[in-house]
Amino acid sequence: MQRTGDLKLIQELNRSIILKTIRHYGPISRSEIAKRNKISPTTVTAAVRKLLQQELVYEDSVGVSSGGRKPILVRFSTESRFIIGVAITNSSIKIAKINLDAKVRRQKIFPIHNLRGELIVDYFLKSIGQFLEEYSDLTKCIGISIIFPGIINVEKGIIYENTKLKLKNIPLKEMVEKRFKLKTWLENDANAIALAEKQFGAYKKFKNLVYITIGDGVGAGIIVNGSIVRGCSGGTGEFGHTSIDRNGKYCDCGNRGCLENYINWPAIYSKVLSSVAQGKHTMMLELAKGDINRVTPSIFRYALKKDDQLAKEIMEETSGYLATGIVNLINLLNPDIIIFGGKVAYDNHFLLSRVKKLVYKQAMDILTDNLKICSTSLGEDFRMIAAATIPLQEIFHFSVFS
């Protein structure tokens, strides 16, 4: 005899499969759902009725008849629930309301300034609280998804270490859930962006993918045979802390010659400052209205597009360091594709072309024959899309809506 618990589980699994089918193929008829999943029409009808009640799907239009009555097509309701996505970098906290198709509906940026350690954690929690004050009803909020640079224990929701922000062993998931009473996810930012490229980007077909983010820090999300590689402590992908010069600059991590100290935004900005102090001309100063302190990555990239000589010189040097690190990655991992993102690499065709040229010259031919090196395909909201990807992956692959 089948137990009630077993029946309920089967119903939930069927509903999950049907919801995923509607999301992927909709608008779609009930009969087509049944055919695609080899589930009885009665089961599909019951599941769709429940999904309609939950407002997760809606009846959209009338399909073409195959002999009988015209079928009513159902479509996934992307606005029926929402996610609070949080992306933390070493300089800012971005918080957004995101729909079930990973589209940003509202967002706000909170500058971090020079906060570190416990102060940044307090500020982080206050920032989320301030953002949530706009919502009188959070019943349709699935939860809070946080992506963060550094070594993360995903299962426990702990930030093991972020050397730039002076954070160590912070149980952030537990702290957020206790404070806001919402389910919370915590993931390394580069891992999340790599998954987002697979789920929502233009690189879905690639099984072996490396996403490299170059911003305030440098990290990598690595997918091998379709799965994220984390390592025993969640530290896989600390690409910025691979050393390219054992006698080089000291790093916050305690090592010397770490790659990120040669290619991240603070390193680039420092070169801009010292060059201007030496009297070198650059249009960046004009774009920043004469205030060198107002030069941003977007100003730097714009100057690069306009053939600013200083910007080109700095980026040429940066490309050389980055290519050295990437050759090591290629020789270790032999990926299908390497994707660039982050505020230094975003929309930076100069960097992309120089690195490709150097990598194809320096790496082993057999490992670069079919290798693609591309820019992120996710657009400016890539971090928010990445934050949404974590709960959406769980919902549509491992669990069902309650």
Side-chain angles (χ1 to χ4, degrees):
M1 180 182 289
Q2 196 170 48
R3 292 175 298 179
T4 305
D6 293 338
L7 181 60
K8 185 178 179 184
L9 177 61
I10 291 167
Q11 288 172 339
E12 288 177 347
L13 289 171
N14 283 335
R15 197 156 65 243
S16 177
I17 291 166
I18 290 163
L19 179 61
K20 283 186 278 188
T21 302
I22 296 169
R23 177 175 178 256
H24 190 72
Y25 297 105
I28 186 172
S29 68
R30 290 163 175 81
S31 60
E32 181 62 24
I33 295 169
K35 286 177 188 174
R36 282 187 176 275
N37 296 293
K38 297 181 180 178
I39 299 173
S40 75
T42 304
T43 298
V44 171
T45 299
V48 169
R49 186 185 304 118
K50 180 70 173 177
L51 293 171
L52 285 166
Q53 289 170 358
Q54 294 175 314
E55 299 180 347
L56 291 168
V57 302
Y58 62 96
E59 294 183 330
D60 180 58
S61 56
V62 178
V64 178
S65 171
S66 57
R69 288 191 307 174
K70 290 182 178 181
I72 297 174
L73 307 181
V74 290
R75 186 189 289 268
F76 179 60
S77 178
T78 59
E79 305 297 336
S80 62
R81 303 287 192 280
F82 65 91
I83 299 157
I84 298 297
V86 185
I88 305 170
T89 68
N90 294 328
S91 60
S92 68
I93 300 167
K94 184 181 284 188
I95 307 177
K97 176 187 177 183
I98 312 167
N99 75 3
L100 298 185
D101 200 29
K103 297 286 192 302
V104 173
R105 292 297 179 238
R106 171 182 169 248
Q107 66 179 341
K108 190 170 182 180
I109 297 174
F110 299 83
I112 285 176
H113 305 299
N114 293 313
L115 297 175
R116 296 293 182 267
E118 290 183 10
L119 292 175
I120 187 67
V121 176
D122 290 342
Y123 179 66
F124 169 74
L125 294 171
K126 286 176 184 175
S127 299
I128 294 178
Q130 186 179 328
F131 188 86
L132 292 179
E133 283 175 3
E134 297 288 323
Y135 302 95
S136 57
D137 183 7
L138 290 170
T139 55
K140 292 192 175 182
C141 177
I142 290 170
I144 299 173
S145 179
I146 305 163
I147 62 171
F148 196 94
I151 300 174
I152 307 292
N153 183 313
V154 172
E155 290 183 7
K156 295 180 180 179
I158 296 173
I159 300 168
Y160 274 158
E161 188 160 24
N162 178 298
T163 55
K164 288 278 190 296
L165 296 176
K166 309 297 182 189
L167 294 173
K168 200 163 188 174
N169 297 321
I170 307 296
L172 196 65
K173 178 180 184 292
E174 181 185 331
M175 295 169 79
V176 173
E177 288 184 335
K178 186 176 181 180
R179 178 88 165 251
F180 302 107
K181 309 296 188 262
L182 288 168
K183 181 175 173 62
T184 300
W185 295 263
L186 177 65
E187 176 62 274
N188 170 270
D189 57 351
N191 286 348
I193 299 166
L195 286 170
E197 289 286 2
K198 285 283 291 176
Q199 180 67 33
F200 294 102
Y203 310 119
K204 297 176 183 178
K205 67 178 182 179
F206 297 102
K207 289 185 177 180
N208 302 292
L209 177 155
V210 176
Y211 170 82
I212 296 173
T213 179
I214 310 165
D216 297 319
V218 175
I222 300 169
I223 294 177
V224 174
N225 291 327
S227 299
I228 282 286
V229 179
R230 298 187 187 282
C232 66
S233 302
T236 298
E238 286 296 309
F239 180 52
H241 292 294
T242 54
S243 181
I244 59 169
D245 182 0
R246 67 179 186 175
N247 297 312
K249 301 173 184 177
Y250 282 101
C251 182
D252 293 333
C253 73
N255 197 6
R256 293 185 70 165
C258 286
L259 178 63
E260 77 171 29
N261 293 313
Y262 296 83
I263 68 171
N264 65 3
W265 172 244
I268 291 169
Y269 180 63
S270 177
K271 290 172 188 174
V272 173
L273 285 178
S274 61
S275 297
V276 170
Q278 291 167 21
K280 288 191 178 181
H281 174 76
T282 173
M283 69 185 301
M284 286 182 270
L285 199 54
E286 298 159 31
L287 293 168
K289 302 189 187 312
D291 184 356
I292 194 66
N293 295 312
R294 294 175 64 180
V295 172
T296 62
S298 59
I299 285 176
F300 181 88
R301 294 196 313 267
Y302 181 82
L304 198 58
K305 285 181 182 178
K306 295 297 181 180
D307 289 327
D308 181 82
Q309 188 58 35
L310 177 60
K312 286 168 67 176
E313 287 173 6
I314 292 172
M315 196 46 46
E316 193 76 57
E317 184 181 18
T318 301
S319 300
Y321 289 126
L322 178 56
T324 298
I326 288 176
V327 168
N328 290 332
L329 271 182
I330 292 168
N331 291 340
L332 282 169
L333 300 171
N334 187 201
D336 301 316
I337 185 169
I338 294 173
I339 304 166
F340 288 171
K343 60 188 178 184
V344 170
Y346 178 74
D347 194 29
N348 190 336
H349 301 294
F350 186 99
L351 176 68
L352 182 65
S353 63
R354 291 299 188 278
V355 169
K356 285 172 77 168
K357 183 178 178 181
L358 290 168
V359 166
Y360 290 135
K361 181 181 178 182
Q362 295 170 15
M364 296 170 66
D365 290 345
I366 188 65
L367 301 183
T368 57
D369 278 349
N370 298 307
L371 175 70
K372 293 187 180 299
I373 302 177
C374 309
S375 294
T376 179
S377 64
L378 299 173
E380 288 187 277
D381 287 331
F382 68 96
R383 288 188 180 278
M384 292 295 95
I385 295 169
T389 299
I390 304 308
L392 289 176
Q393 178 183 248
E394 180 176 309
I395 289 160
F396 290 108
H397 290 281
F398 307 123
S399 77
V400 293
F401 285 98
S402 60

